[in-house]
Amino acid sequence: MTIAESFDVVVVGSGAAGAMAALRSADHGLKVLIVEQAQKFGGTSATSGGVMWIPNHGLDGNGDDTRDSALQYLDATIGVPVNRHRLEAYVDEAPRMLAYLRSTGVSFLSAAWPDYFPDCPGARADRSVLVPTFDGRRLGDRRYALMREQYNRFKLFGRYAMDLTETFALMMQSKGWRTVAGRMIGRYWLDRQTRRISHRDRRFTQGAALMGATYEQVFARGVELRLETKLERLLVNDQGEVTGLEVSNFGRRYSLEARHGVVLAAGGFEWNQELRDRFYPVPGLTRHSSTPEDGNRGEALIAAEKLGASTEHTEQGWWIPTMTLPMKGASNFHEIHQAAFDVGRPWSVVVNRRGVRFVDEACGYDQFGQAMVRDHLETGANMPCWLIFDAKFRRKFSAGGLMPTVHTPERKVPADWWDHYIFKSDTIEDLARKISLPVGAVARTVANMNAYAASGVDPEFGRGMNAYDRMFGDPASTPNPNLGPIDTAPFYAVPINNGDLGTKGGLRCDAQARVLDGAGNAIPGLYAAGNNAASPFGDTYPGAGATIGPAMTFGYVAANAIAERAFNQRTAPHTACAEAAI
């Protein structure tokens, strides 16, 4: 196949890792193309919370964080062997990446978000950073509408964009939350100019803010982006160097030369059931993932494996509890709803199918998912587990996609949801029978939780007894913000699946983001970042933003490595000629 076009760098995937690799490569003076198989750009990152976990970032009082304290914390939380050089490269390069991105004009805020293992040595509550609200119209009216839109769960009434402050005000129904909602709605409808273009809120928040602000810089540097362009295979020369790729667009195939490097940043494999079955100890189902439907199928990983690339940590996912509901107005289709914080609220408990607890329900969502896996391997009675709650919980909090009664009163719950997606009864015993759980075990578990709520101490799992748990509890529930008696009828239950934010394992890479073969040698010209690459953290999720932080950092690292390779390739022929002349 003849080469159709030539670039210095071709990036596969338009999420955070790909955007950063393209931006940094362009600033090195390289000609860059991003190819994206979807109809919209921004990847899973644009639909996310948009937080980055960056140790020692130096923003807003973080100046006393250090490299050593970050490594101390990571060493205390990682439970499997990892590439030490790659881990240290992350700790060293992440602050440099952030400083570089700030130098391009992207703004950041430090979030007071506790690390997910707050009792471990070296833990802090200021390593997570995010981008403030971004005006999406700055991308241009055409591109504004083409960035992947956030899920309904990140918007009020599925329409109005929420930043994290607004999200927490509405989530907790804190004082003045109705005023917050009114301002959001009014601001949206008063923006008549944007309403003529699209239903989408011009306010890009959370992951959309991060990607919008980054892509403003990417486009300003003349980087080309091609949508509906899918990687078919990687191209190599006789020396085993990756020299380009073959892509397809609506069935038309053509090849692209990448003179100095290909960066695989196309996400993980969570939507590929065959790969889940191959790698995961408890595979779970693709449809329980909370990433864009059928988006990340591992094609880039498969293409690299065909060249001899190796993988690591593929038994791990970025787990998050999810639940399923029919899509309103289209009941034959379903939506996946995250339940990351719902499972740890007061007036509720989570049990396996034996009717007993298996985890501190308020722990980090990845820890919750890992506990589901462990419990299922031990008992065979998890996946799904069950969130059981009472009328007090129902009035105030969401349960996955079931919104509180102030938003969705009982009369507005669709008839086909009851006793199929959401179960309800006047007694705990009848509820247990409805969901086929052992009545005695469930009743004992609820009685225990009521006693723990009275004392404020959970002797089984320590729920509500660390800073991370309490951040998402309810201060109105005393003496423990994560515990409350489950004693007010009616009682409810929803099944909770082990969903994910993507796969944690992927292509094995070195500290320069180069893809490694089975012998540990770098495959020349091939780089990977984001969920296409294995996490530097192995089996752990150290804090909010631990997916996007490494994605952008190793996109940055890959671009620097490619720029160095490009310089060497440009100068090597002159050296060779000089030697030949001698």
Side-chain angles (χ1 to χ4, degrees), residues 16 19-20 23 101 106 209-219 552:
M20 173 54 74
L23 177 61
L101 194 52
V106 178
L210 171 65
M211 299 311 294
T214 302
Y215 266 103
E216 182 180 33
Q217 303 304 322
V218 169
F219 293 138
M552 297 200 82

Side-chain angles (χ1 to χ4, degrees), residues 142-159:
R142 179 172 170 273
R143 286 171 174 159
Y144 143 81
L146 282 175
M147 177 173 281
R148 191 188 288 276
E149 194 164 354
Q150 289 176 302
Y151 295 111
N152 287 341
R153 61 178 171 264
F154 287 108
K155 296 179 284 187
L156 176 64
F157 300 130
R159 184 184 293 270

Side-chain angles (χ1 to χ4, degrees), residues 51-52 57 59-60 107-112 126 128-133:
V51 182
M52 294 190 292
H57 56 70
L59 299 174
D60 303 328
S107 299
F108 290 96
L109 301 171
S110 178
D126 60 359
S128 297
V129 300
L130 51 89
V131 173
T133 298

Side-chain angles (χ1 to χ4, degrees), residues 17-40:
M20 173 54 74
L23 177 61
R24 183 63 171 170
S25 294
D27 271 349
H28 279 303
L30 301 172
K31 182 181 179 183
V32 186
L33 170 69
I34 303 173
V35 296
E36 167 60 61
Q37 70 174 349
Q39 292 86 356
K40 295 192 175 184

